[in-house]
Amino acid sequence: MNAKVKTEAKPLKQAMSGAELFIEALKKEEVEVVFGYPGGAVLPLYDALYRNPIRHILARHEQAAIHAAEGYARVAGKPGVVIATSGPGATNLVTGITDAMMDSLPLVVFTGQVATGVIGTDAFQEADVIGITMPITKHNYQVRDLKELPRIIREAFHIATTGRPGPVLIDIPKDIATTISNPEFVTEVDLPGYQPNLTPNVLQVKKLADAIAQAKKPLILAGAGVLHGGASGELLSLAEQMNIPVVNTLLGLGSFPADHPLFLGMGGMHGTYTANMAMYESDLLINIGARFDDRLTGNLQHFAPEALVAHIDIDPAEIGKNVDTHIPIVADAKEALQKLLELDLTEPQANEWRLKVKQNKKEYPLWNSEDEEGISPQRLMETIHEVTDGEAIMTTDVGQHQMWAAQYYGFNKPGRWITSGGLGTMGFGFPAAIGAQIAFPDDTVIAIVGDAGFQMTLQELGLIAELNLPVKIVIYNNEALGMVRQWQETFYEERYSQSLLPCQPDFVKLAEAYGIKGYSVSTEEEAESVLRETLNSREPVLIDCRIKPKEKVYPMIAPGAGLHEMIGVKP
Amino acid sequence: MKRTVTVTVLNQSGVLNRITGLFTKRQFNIESITVGPTETEGISKITFVVHVEDARTAEQVLKQLNKQIDVLKVTDITDQAIVSRELALIKVLTTPQTRAEINVIIEPFRATIIDVAKDSVMIQVVGNFEKIEAMIELLRPYGIKELSRTGQTALTRGSQKQVTELKQYSILK
């Protein structure tokens, strides 16, 4: 077996240092922007950066740098690149790396490391970053020899962006960055152990076509794989041609237009009644690029009990992991759907089913309570949709505000929705919005955050002020960890242990301290007028919205319950 | 269920760590693991025996291993015709009376005594898991002072056996 890397040697005329080589390699990968934070072990890299035109975004904390890179990667169609120093710089990235791993975001992360001679001696700012990040990266490398650096960087970008995307980390010891050599750049990669399969097995696609023809209750479940594969157009064609209703996962939102008559909403723990009952009752469930996460399936025993399950996924390990799959299709979503659409498809005889689904949609819409003073968080989200024509890039943390955004914003196109799904990271939304705004400087980018999550990464107000990035921060302020509070109310007899946060800064003054406009609104009229005035402006704005503190996210599948056992389905 | 799996890997630093880390992360239990170089330079082979609950978990083991960039090939050889071997070193207490007896016991196992001391002998035995287990059981009454086992390594046979268990494969049923 040939395990050697095929190299296309292009010796450069002058010798260069490892750090210069690093910059050259980034240029070859067409990197336009890097997110990072300097420190001792990466001084050589930053020195090379000083003399080169790659844009560097200086976050105020490494965690924010990597979340910004994630936001960038989610919408820019390019990998996010991060630099942090050794030791604490690297360990501060751990949450972001894990988040990117869980949500399949392409990142290439560079960490500094102490010099090769002192690795393993507990040197100043030394941490075993390779060991720490092994289970949370798609792959990681430590550069032991400068000659390997060009190959490693090429491979890292290749691995991060192909197949199921994910984070790749490269650990560069300080002495490697300062060594001078005549590097040979590589253009091709030869990774015999990494050959993602993009093309579907024709027989399985044919099987799926047959299953569609015979189905009485067909349903499409579309996940983030559709977005990664750029397969929204194909998904729309399939759904429309076969007249099959569509459910989205949380991360799949935007892959299918929310205002389409065939759209049933998001499925899962806080999904719509219609979507969850459709999954429960379907006889053919076509999963395209979703991983049957437990927040989607609820109790697996009650998940789609009647359904023949077809699963299109680029990662073979996801197929059959949680749910028994009858038609496995390992492929890129776009290629698989294209192959399927090329076949002579027969529309399923499913009129009764469509009627039922339609009735459910009408009978069980999302609802909100009206028995409390303050801004309705649900209507606030609808207002944001209206003011931005549903075109804004929306980012969130995790929790109630995230679920309301998912339920009520109504994403009609791909690449507008950035949220921390798998890992559920508080403090993600605001820095992620910064990354999205860097990718799309002219678009409206709104960070929907809770008052608690915002306080985890609010130091980045400094960054948006410095760059005058027109990120809009909308705080869903209920003076609590809303979702924790909701669970304590529902499952812990209202024992609000450590979930109420009445002591909080004056967010308006806080914004003003950074030179950013701040507003506080406590009625829906105020909120609407401020949103109209500011959301489409060209400067950063913070809006502290006092929402109804006791409002809960409904409907809900209690932990351990099945899809059909939703609570809070109707007022 | 017990599965024997072989994994060929690029001999990169940390590759064993990646694999054992994966087992920890996914809660797969390793019974034994052996590693060594192969006929090709730069490529190593890992043989491990793993306990899994069901066929789904067994499949996950293979798929997750396959996802590792440094892993070239993963094969579950449990149901193939294989030669599986393990070496064990066993230090058994002896008295002048039992020494001959022990010799007789180990002889059918084609085990050898490789070290003799005043009150113990060290026995080396090579064989599959069951054979070694059987010999250890026979020696246990004499008092096993120390025991060290390598874990199993395995290769598939040059020619695979004819299908004999028809029910597993039959179209006749």
Side-chain angles (χ1 to χ4, degrees):
Chain A
M1 210 174 303
N2 177 16
K4 295 247 168 68
V5 168
K6 284 182 216 150
T7 57
E8 207 176 284
K10 277 190 203 159
L12 285 184
K13 289 201 178 80
Q14 84 269 37
M16 53 169 76
S17 71
E20 286 163 335
L21 190 155
F22 159 77
I23 299 288
E24 282 308 309
L26 289 192
K27 284 188 196 159
K28 284 182 195 299
E29 299 297 335
E30 296 172 0
V31 173
E32 288 163 7
V33 58
V34 296
F35 300 85
Y37 204 96
V42 285
L43 278 168
L45 301 186
Y46 272 84
D47 188 53
L49 204 59
Y50 187 76
R51 291 175 274 126
N52 277 281
I54 296 176
R55 187 175 180 199
H56 180 274
I57 306 296
L58 177 68
R60 269 44 171 178
H61 188 293
E62 287 90 352
Q63 183 187 2
I66 191 163
H67 288 328
E70 290 183 79
Y72 177 87
R74 175 68 80 191
V75 291
K78 300 179 78 172
V81 179
V82 182
I83 310 175
T85 193
S86 64
T91 53
N92 275 345
L93 297 176
V94 166
T95 303
I97 297 173
T98 317
D99 193 273
M101 185 71 174
M102 292 285 269
D103 286 351
S104 310
L105 291 170
L107 294 186
V108 179
V109 179
F110 294 92
T111 49
Q113 183 53 277
V114 299
T116 43
V118 293
I119 290 178
T121 66
D122 303 319
F124 177 63
Q125 291 196 328
E126 181 184 357
D128 174 16
V129 172
I130 293 299
I132 290 169
T133 61
M134 212 171 256
I136 54 168
T137 50
K138 191 170 171 186
H139 198 53
N140 63 10
Y141 296 90
Q142 186 170 62
V143 186
R144 302 267 170 90
D145 182 346
L146 180 56
K147 280 197 224 74
E148 292 178 338
L149 185 58
R151 170 185 64 85
I152 288 175
I153 293 179
R154 182 73 275 277
E155 285 181 6
F157 276 85
H158 177 74
I159 292 168
T161 54
T162 53
R164 178 178 181 177
V168 179
L169 181 139
I170 303 176
D171 198 35
I172 306 179
K174 192 171 182 181
D175 57 323
I176 296 281
T178 51
T179 307
I180 308 285
S181 83
N182 271 306
E184 286 179 4
F185 285 94
V186 296
T187 50
E188 279 175 39
V189 288
D190 183 18
L191 293 163
Y194 178 68
Q195 312 282 343
N197 183 37
L198 304 179
T199 318
N201 179 321
V202 188
L203 286 175
Q204 297 294 346
V205 177
K206 181 80 185 37
K207 250 192 191 170
L208 175 54
D210 292 343
I212 290 174
Q214 281 161 25
K216 297 276 178 288
K217 300 171 181 175
L219 182 71
I220 293 171
L221 172 68
V226 176
L227 297 165
H228 287 300
S232 300
E234 286 78 5
L235 171 63
L236 186 64
S237 303
L238 177 68
E240 284 185 340
Q241 283 176 32
M242 293 297 102
N243 210 344
I244 301 175
V246 177
V247 169
N248 266 152
T249 64
L250 173 67
L251 287 171
L253 290 171
S255 61
F256 193 80
D259 58 6
H260 197 286
L262 285 169
F263 186 62
L264 309 186
M266 178 176 75
M269 184 169 268
H270 294 294
T272 62
Y273 177 85
T274 318
N276 285 338
M277 285 312 285
M279 285 195 284
Y280 183 69
E281 288 171 350
S282 67
D283 70 350
L284 172 64
L285 183 61
I286 308 167
N287 173 349
I288 311 170
R291 61 182 176 89
F292 286 131
D293 169 73
D294 59 281
R295 281 295 193 270
L296 175 87
T297 61
N299 186 332
L300 280 168
Q301 283 188 334
H302 304 295
F303 180 74
E306 307 293 323
L308 190 77
V309 175
H311 189 171
I312 301 171
D313 206 300
I314 201 158
D315 179 359
E318 287 303 341
I319 294 176
K321 186 176 83 176
N322 298 330
V323 173
D324 284 332
T325 302
H326 309 91
I327 309 174
I329 301 178
V330 178
D332 171 67
K334 194 183 184 85
E335 288 203 26
L337 291 180
Q338 279 171 345
K339 283 278 178 317
L340 181 64
L341 289 164
E342 279 167 19
L343 298 177
D344 193 13
L345 295 175
T346 313
E347 188 184 322
Q349 299 297 306
N351 281 332
E352 214 174 301
W353 170 244
R354 284 179 206 115
L355 206 68
K356 169 145 200 212
V357 164
K358 212 170 159 186
Q359 263 172 1
N360 275 348
K361 212 172 156 181
K362 210 173 134 194
E363 181 77 8
Y364 300 96
L366 292 167
W367 60 276
N368 51 281
S369 71
E370 297 292 353
D371 51 5
E372 217 186 332
E373 291 279 309
I375 300 170
S376 151
Q378 296 93 341
R379 270 201 300 277
L380 182 64
M381 194 58 66
E382 288 173 334
T383 309
I384 294 170
H385 174 100
E386 201 191 308
V387 174
T388 56
D389 288 329
E391 300 273 312
I393 295 177
M394 304 285 282
T395 74
T396 76
D397 284 1
V398 63
Q400 286 187 318
H401 68 281
Q402 176 193 40
M403 289 299 122
W404 285 318
Q407 289 177 334
Y408 286 88
Y409 188 75
F411 294 90
N412 288 326
K413 49 183 205 183
R416 305 275 102 179
W417 173 231
I418 303 172
T419 194
S420 172
L423 195 64
T425 308
M426 286 174 71
F428 171 86
F430 176 37
I434 293 171
Q437 191 79 74
I438 300 280
F440 292 100
D442 300 325
D443 289 23
T444 302
V445 178
I446 305 175
I448 306 286
V449 291
D451 52 287
F454 180 59
Q455 291 185 65
M456 287 194 175
T457 45
L458 60 73
Q459 76 283 348
E460 301 307 318
L461 286 168
L463 173 57
I464 59 169
E466 180 190 349
L467 301 179
N468 193 32
L469 284 177
V471 170
K472 310 295 181 293
I473 303 157
V474 176
I475 303 175
Y476 268 52
N477 192 342
N478 52 10
E479 297 188 352
L481 290 159
M483 193 59 95
V484 173
R485 187 197 174 286
Q486 175 170 341
W487 280 50
Q488 287 172 338
E489 184 180 329
T490 315
F491 306 116
Y492 294 87
E493 296 168 334
E494 301 184 29
R495 291 188 296 276
Y496 299 122
S497 179
Q498 305 297 318
S499 62
L500 306 181
L501 301 164
C503 176
Q504 51 180 217
D506 179 331
F507 287 110
V508 175
K509 279 192 187 149
L510 182 74
E512 284 167 1
Y514 283 95
I516 293 167
K517 269 191 193 157
Y519 300 85
S520 180
V521 294
S522 46
T523 67
E524 292 184 12
E525 295 69 35
E526 268 183 319
E528 188 175 342
S529 103
V530 170
L531 290 172
R532 281 194 193 284
E533 188 189 318
T534 59
L535 282 193
N536 297 312
S537 72
R538 300 301 309 148
E539 57 184 355
V541 176
L542 179 148
I543 309 163
D544 177 13
C545 304
R546 299 296 169 140
I547 61 162
K548 297 177 178 181
K550 289 181 186 158
E551 187 65 10
K552 289 186 278 300
V553 181
Y554 283 130
M556 177 176 189
I557 300 170
L563 284 178
H564 60 304
E565 297 167 313
M566 270 167 285
I567 52 176
V569 172
K570 282 196 165 192
Chain B
M1 54 204 277
K2 199 157 121 177
R3 311 299 297 180
T4 306
V5 179
T6 61
V7 187
T8 37
V9 298
L10 290 179
N11 196 4
Q12 307 276 9
S13 72
V15 64
L16 192 60
N17 198 352
R18 278 180 209 287
I19 287 172
T20 51
L22 174 91
F23 278 64
T24 314
K25 175 177 168 182
R26 306 270 171 191
Q27 291 208 317
F28 305 141
N29 278 326
I30 305 176
E31 183 181 287
S32 82
I33 184 162
T34 61
V35 198
T38 63
E39 70 284 2
T40 314
E41 200 187 327
I43 291 176
S44 296
K45 187 170 194 171
I46 305 174
T47 307
F48 58 83
V49 180
V50 59
H51 271 287
V52 291
E53 264 177 35
D54 47 29
R56 176 183 288 180
T57 319
E59 193 183 312
Q60 269 295 306
V61 172
L62 304 186
K63 284 175 163 179
Q64 293 297 341
L65 284 168
N66 249 321
K67 274 173 75 166
Q68 294 294 321
I69 311 286
D70 289 336
V71 168
L72 301 176
K73 194 176 179 201
V74 184
T75 321
D76 182 343
I77 56 172
T78 318
D79 299 328
Q80 298 185 35
I82 57 172
V83 178
S84 157
R85 291 290 181 270
E86 177 176 6
L87 183 145
L89 297 176
I90 309 160
K91 202 183 276 175
V92 186
L93 294 172
T94 51
T95 60
Q97 291 79 18
T98 57
R99 202 163 281 171
E101 224 173 295
I102 286 173
N103 249 319
V104 172
I105 287 175
I106 67 170
E107 208 241 311
F109 290 95
R110 278 177 277 172
T112 45
I113 291 176
I114 53 173
D115 183 59
V116 181
K118 201 161 65 180
D119 57 354
S120 70
V121 290
M122 192 194 296
I123 301 161
Q124 169 186 297
V125 60
V126 173
N128 62 21
F129 181 80
E130 287 74 20
K131 172 178 161 181
I132 290 172
E133 286 284 295
M135 203 181 90
I136 290 170
E137 280 317 303
L138 286 172
L139 290 174
R140 203 176 289 282
Y142 297 94
I144 293 176
K145 215 174 156 192
E146 267 185 276
L147 174 63
S148 181
R149 296 172 71 162
T150 59
Q152 289 174 82
T153 188
L155 280 179
T156 56
R157 289 184 187 274
S159 53
Q160 291 294 307
K161 67 183 169 195
Q162 295 296 308
V163 175
T164 48
E165 285 177 40
L166 272 176
K167 65 174 185 294
Q168 208 178 333
Y169 300 93
S170 175
I171 49 167
L172 308 168
K173 176 86 174 272

